[in-house]
Amino acid sequence: MDLALWIAAGLLAAVALLGGSTKTFIPKEKLAAQHGGEWTQNAGVGFVKTLGILELLAAVGLILPAALDIAPVMVPVTALCWILLMVGAMITHRRLGQSKLVLVNSVYLALAVFIAGGHLLGTN
């Protein structure tokens, strides 16, 4: 189970790193032009960049606390925060009629539930 939690956390951290880098470093106009980026059209630049920074922090929070054994409780806390982020993403994409992205977000949500549950139930 420990290995499965590490794999899930690594996958989710990679997703968070990629998404966070994109939102933080790519201009909002370019994001809006990409498939699935329509949500940025009505969002402020600060909001998009804040989401990107939160995703970058999530990437760190899913791996480093457990790897360094410093405040490992932060891993399930980060996973719980990711769950909230994915619920918001699913609502946003559903409103825009992007059912494929809702499905993708639900997979990320399931990974976060697995990570949070695995850590909170003491299997790690």
Side-chain angles (χ1 to χ4, degrees):
M1 181 68 149
D2 191 42
L3 179 61
L5 286 171
W6 274 108
I7 291 170
L11 288 171
L12 202 54
V15 167
L17 185 62
L18 179 63
S21 297
T22 302
K23 289 176 190 73
T24 304
F25 301 114
I26 293 180
K28 186 183 108 160
E29 296 75 28
K30 278 191 171 181
L31 285 176
Q34 295 177 353
H35 174 69
E38 294 87 1
W39 67 271
T40 62
Q41 291 172 347
N42 296 323
V45 174
F47 179 72
V48 174
K49 293 208 179 291
T50 299
L51 284 177
I53 291 168
L54 289 173
E55 289 184 30
L56 292 173
L57 290 172
V60 171
L62 288 166
I63 301 297
L64 283 185
L68 300 176
D69 198 27
I70 298 173
V73 70
M74 290 308 296
V75 175
V77 168
T78 302
L80 290 171
C81 291
W82 186 266
I83 291 167
L84 295 175
L85 186 67
M86 287 302 101
V87 168
M90 291 168 71
I91 291 168
T92 300
H93 289 301
R94 178 70 183 117
R95 286 183 181 162
L96 294 171
Q98 300 170 329
S99 56
K100 289 181 183 178
L101 292 175
V102 172
L103 181 60
V104 169
N105 291 136
S106 67
V107 171
Y108 299 155
L109 184 139
L111 277 172
V113 167
F114 174 71
I115 294 165
H119 283 273
L120 292 175
L121 295 175
T123 59
N124 187 15

